[in-house]
Amino acid sequence: MTVIPPGSIIGILGAGQLGRMTALAAARLGYKVHVFAPESMDSACGQVVAHHTQAGWHDLRALARFADDVDVITLEWENVPTYAVDFLARHVGVHPGAHVLAVAQDRVAEKSFANKLGIGTAPFRAVRSLDELNRAATEIGLPAILKSTRMGYDGKGQLRLNPGDDLTGAFDAIGSDEAILEGFVDFEREISVVTARRSDGTMLSYPPVENRHRSGILDTTTVPATLTPAIAAEAVRIAETLATELHVVGLLAVEMFVTRDGRVLVNEMAPRPHNSGHWTLDFAATSQFEQLVRAVCDLPLGAVEVTAPCVMTNLIGDDVDTWPAILADPQARLHLYGKGDARPGRKMGHVTRPLSP
């Protein structure tokens, strides 16, 4: 892979807040950004970039024009269709590649991949019918979590099943004929690790952080996570093993459970910047967004040290209305995403603050 120097154009697939923050980091390093997405130019990312192609993922002519205009491509959304990524890769480097997305887009493939590497997950079964759901519930036991295999995020496309629940109604409620039943994990805490990897295999990982959710959506991330050195090292080892075996170029974020008996189990992974890495904008030597730019352009990776313990809080829905109080707090660093309606469950921004001593 050749170095993509400052002054080049980085293409970003997807136009949400992750693309927005990546574009701002790219601009600071002297790059231009061209975003491709079905969303309009008034999207979170579209507001801050020089070029925006609004077209569907199936539009091969638009994809070809986009590829001709950029020097390298990355993404901010792992559910870009793999056929679109494969098509683009015939014209220009795309990082991460379609082979990474094929695993990350499918929860069964994702957990199977981890298990083949000897990395633990919750017990799971693929579920494609009511009969398979009944069999899986018997084998795994309830309570358990039924999820759509693809696309679900922030608590969408999933529900908890308890003993005695109506499995027929549950399978219908998922809204997909491809699902996964995951055994319930009695965890002590949820953590995540963001790893950056270059094409030559060089890697750097941010320290594990602790995540707490509200209604299935990330609420706060506390940095660093309260872990023993051995568990922290194991979490980083798992993330770096997955990044290596997937041949990721860019970022890989891995969400994990720490069980009460000290095991570290993989929950989900995403080959892109991650909500639990937003703290890096203000309290790390290099932000995850700059790190993504460095990795896909084959530049030296930046330092990942924590500059101060901190907490990141998502502003979800009308939480964003507290912005005047946040701005009045000299310790707070506010990041708003330029979105319009503050709908329930919609991530409107985030705020980071140092942890009190």
Side-chain angles (χ1 to χ4, degrees):
M1 181 174 169
T2 58
V3 172
I4 309 297
S8 302
I9 300 176
I10 298 173
I12 296 179
L13 304 177
Q17 64 265 20
L18 301 179
R20 178 190 184 96
M21 290 181 274
T22 301
L24 293 172
R28 194 174 69 80
L29 292 180
Y31 292 91
K32 300 174 184 178
V33 169
H34 184 162
V35 63
F36 185 105
E39 293 86 359
S40 72
M41 290 185 65
D42 194 42
S43 63
C45 185
Q47 294 169 7
V48 301
V49 299
H51 306 286
H52 181 286
T53 294
Q54 182 181 2
W57 303 115
H58 61 281
D59 190 336
L60 299 186
R61 289 185 179 179
L63 286 168
R65 289 194 297 269
F66 171 70
D68 287 343
D69 188 57
V70 303
D71 298 292
V72 69
I73 295 173
T74 189
L75 54 87
E76 63 108 52
W77 188 57
E78 70 271 29
N79 288 305
V80 175
T82 55
Y83 64 77
V85 174
D86 272 331
F87 177 81
L88 289 167
R90 298 175 204 159
H91 301 263
V92 66
V94 184
H95 311 294
H99 66 284
V100 180
L101 301 190
V103 174
Q105 290 177 359
D106 186 305
R107 288 187 170 93
V108 173
E110 184 178 62
K111 286 182 167 54
S112 298
F113 186 84
N115 287 173
K116 287 178 182 177
L117 298 175
I119 296 170
T121 64
F124 68 93
R125 298 289 187 277
V127 173
R128 294 173 293 272
S129 68
L130 180 58
D131 285 344
E132 288 189 356
L133 176 56
N134 278 292
R135 186 161 55 251
T138 299
E139 293 173 353
I140 291 176
L142 301 180
I145 309 295
L146 182 64
K147 301 178 179 179
S148 58
T149 302
R150 295 175 177 268
M151 295 297 291
Y153 63 96
D154 287 345
K156 301 178 178 69
Q158 60 183 268
L159 53 88
R160 176 170 170 163
L161 297 180
N162 294 305
D165 282 353
D166 173 22
L167 298 188
T168 301
F171 189 73
D172 291 341
I174 285 295
S176 171
D177 56 4
E178 292 191 9
I180 181 173
L181 187 70
E182 299 178 4
F184 185 73
V185 176
D186 184 22
F187 58 86
E188 181 181 77
R189 66 190 75 232
E190 293 181 83
I191 64 171
S192 58
V193 172
V194 176
T195 294
R197 184 177 183 273
R198 290 177 54 187
S199 61
D200 65 358
T202 303
M203 285 184 291
L204 283 176
S205 296
Y206 294 95
V209 299
E210 183 170 346
N211 302 317
R212 297 193 177 182
H213 293 76
R214 173 168 44 121
S215 301
I217 303 173
L218 182 64
D219 183 23
T220 63
T221 294
T222 301
V223 185
T226 304
L227 301 169
T228 66
I231 291 177
E234 174 64 1
V236 171
R237 184 196 71 82
I238 287 171
E240 293 187 350
T241 297
L242 290 168
T244 298
E245 295 300 323
L246 281 168
H247 303 288
V248 169
V249 174
L251 298 183
L252 184 70
V254 184
E255 297 178 78
M256 295 170 253
F257 298 123
V258 178
T259 66
R260 300 189 189 280
D261 59 358
R263 292 175 297 142
V264 181
L265 305 178
V266 167
N267 181 27
E268 295 182 353
M269 53 182 145
R272 54 161 171 80
H274 196 259
N275 197 169
S276 69
H278 289 357
W279 64 274
T280 61
L281 281 165
D282 302 306
F283 290 98
T286 308
S287 79
Q288 66 168 341
F289 304 100
E290 180 178 328
Q291 203 74 295
L292 174 60
V293 172
R294 287 170 174 254
V296 302
C297 292
D298 209 30
L299 307 180
L301 297 178
V304 293
E305 285 75 21
V306 179
T307 57
C310 62
V311 61
M312 185 282 302
T313 304
N314 271 329
L315 301 176
I316 301 167
D318 58 13
D319 290 347
V320 73
D321 295 338
T322 63
W323 65 264
I326 295 171
L327 287 179
D329 178 357
Q331 296 292 304
R333 288 98 184 272
L334 177 65
H335 300 264
L336 298 179
Y337 304 152
K339 296 181 180 180
D341 298 336
R343 299 189 298 270
R346 192 181 197 193
K347 294 173 181 174
M348 302 298 293
H350 71 269
V351 56
T352 54
R353 295 181 176 89
L355 282 174
S356 301

